Amino acid sequence: MGYAVVVGGGIAGLASAASLQRAGWRVLVLESAPELGEVGAGVVVTVNGMRALAAIGADEQVRRNGYALQPAGTRSWDGKWLLRAPDGDDAMSRMVGIHRQRLHRALVEAADGVELITGARVTRVDPATGRVEWGTESVTADLVVGADGIRSVTRAALFPNQLKYSGYSCWRAVVADTSVGDRFAMTWGPNAESGAMRISPTEVYWYGYVAMASGVRFPDEPAAAREYFADWVDDLADAAREVIRHDVWTLADPLPRYTGGKVVLVGDAAHPMLPTLGQGANSALEDGVSVGMLSPEQYDAQRYRRTQQLVRRSDQMARVGAHLGPRWQRLRNALLRVVPPRPAQRSGTKLFDWTPPGSFGAQAVDRG
């Protein structure tokens, strides 16, 4: 193969590194943070994400350190069911809730043997030559993987795309709790969404996604979250003592492609999406695994169509869910209550039916 440099040591970057190493590449990961780690709360890994993890040997660790979930359905903020998931164990709707740090740790182990430099904030990438610069250092690679997130320096070397604020911000917290079961329900209210999912026997990941101006900061973020969701049913914001929040940004326009010269873009560097479909981390895992299995031309052909579909579906989910204002909620709620649950579930989980390309991806089988 050759020498690959991965810019970014997050979920997309480490999945890329592990996949490239398995394919025979010599890999260097450049991480801007002084220490390798993941900032965040929880994440849900759906079937497609688990298949990607299986392809790099990380699925069993994620199962051991996460919590098996099934969907319960969708409710309105006052607790009334809008659409209940059918009973029974549907393989395509299985999920694993896990702390982001534990998912990251599993990927670190999957990429064992890869060279890693922390505190390496990349300042310049030359797509034509594969030269990557950070501080006073530089290296030239046969392949550069841009896994450096929404404000990607690697992407900027290819495209001058501008970011666009979604109009929404998201609180996230890990709450000590043993009352929430293994069924995950989304809750929709006017211009907002919340949810709580178990990520271990003693922990629950809670999030609150709300319409808010960009850059707003509260002196007490947990108090602000508790106040906003005070009247919501079964809300766990009141139990959250440590809350993080970030504004949600996307691209003003889709990229024309994900490759250029010796550069390949993955994850949020390629296709940031709204969190309303829960596919940001899962699509990043798909990307990372695919990088090691496909040529850049094959990668672009396969991943562009797939991920742009996920971006569009996330937008569509937002328009009928969290981004819907009070005026149209009553009509939406009435329509959802007459939707047959099983066909609705099949339609939703069809997007998760993705299998890694290549020979060792064929070993990624669904396990309970």
Side-chain angles (χ1 to χ4, degrees), residues 75-226:
R75 303 174 298 187
S76 64
W77 67 274
D78 58 3
K80 296 177 181 177
W81 284 101
L82 305 177
L83 185 64
R84 301 194 74 161
D87 293 330
D89 183 13
D90 176 14
M92 288 307 301
S93 66
R94 291 174 186 168
M95 302 175 283
V96 175
I98 188 169
H99 199 294
R100 290 185 74 95
Q101 292 176 354
R102 293 173 196 140
L103 172 60
H104 191 264
R105 196 176 306 137
L107 292 170
V108 169
E109 293 191 13
D112 183 44
V114 165
E115 184 182 1
L116 169 70
I117 300 177
T118 57
R121 182 173 296 279
V122 170
T123 54
R124 184 173 182 271
V125 175
D126 185 342
T129 63
R131 182 180 175 88
V132 181
E133 300 177 3
W134 70 98
T136 60
E137 304 292 324
S138 68
V139 69
T140 299
D142 301 298
L143 177 69
V144 179
V145 179
D148 45 347
I150 181 71
R151 302 184 188 280
S152 170
V153 171
T154 315
R155 182 182 66 232
L158 292 174
F159 309 109
N161 280 61
Q162 299 297 312
L163 298 181
K164 178 182 70 173
Y165 182 52
S166 67
Y168 282 72
S169 195
C170 193
W171 281 296
R172 303 176 189 272
V174 173
V175 180
D177 181 271
T178 56
S179 64
V180 175
D182 62 356
R183 305 276 282 183
F184 166 59
M186 291 189 303
T187 305
W188 285 342
N191 300 114
E193 175 185 320
S194 77
M197 68 185 73
R198 183 155 296 286
I199 58 173
S200 80
T202 59
E203 297 168 307
V204 168
Y205 162 53
W206 173 85
Y207 69 88
Y209 176 71
V210 302
M212 191 181 297
S214 173
V216 172
R217 291 293 175 264
F218 299 101
D220 188 335
E221 292 283 351
R226 288 194 293 272

Side-chain angles (χ1 to χ4, degrees), residues 230-296:
D231 296 329
W232 286 47
V233 65
D234 296 337
D235 178 59
L236 289 181
D238 189 53
R241 293 296 173 259
E242 294 185 12
V243 174
I244 60 175
R245 182 169 60 82
H246 69 274
D247 291 344
V248 178
W249 293 78
T250 60
L251 295 179
D253 298 294
L255 300 181
R257 61 187 184 279
Y258 297 159
T259 61
K262 295 186 176 183
V263 168
V264 173
L265 301 174
V266 298
D268 282 348
H271 47 76
M273 61 187 71
L274 298 177
T276 47
L277 199 63
Q279 287 301 295
N282 290 286
S283 61
L285 290 169
E286 291 183 14
D287 287 349
V289 165
S290 297
V291 161
M293 298 179 173
L294 302 170
S295 69

Side-chain angles (χ1 to χ4, degrees), residues 31-44:
E31 168 55 39
S32 62
E35 295 182 2
L36 188 64
E38 179 72 10
V39 177
V43 63
V44 61

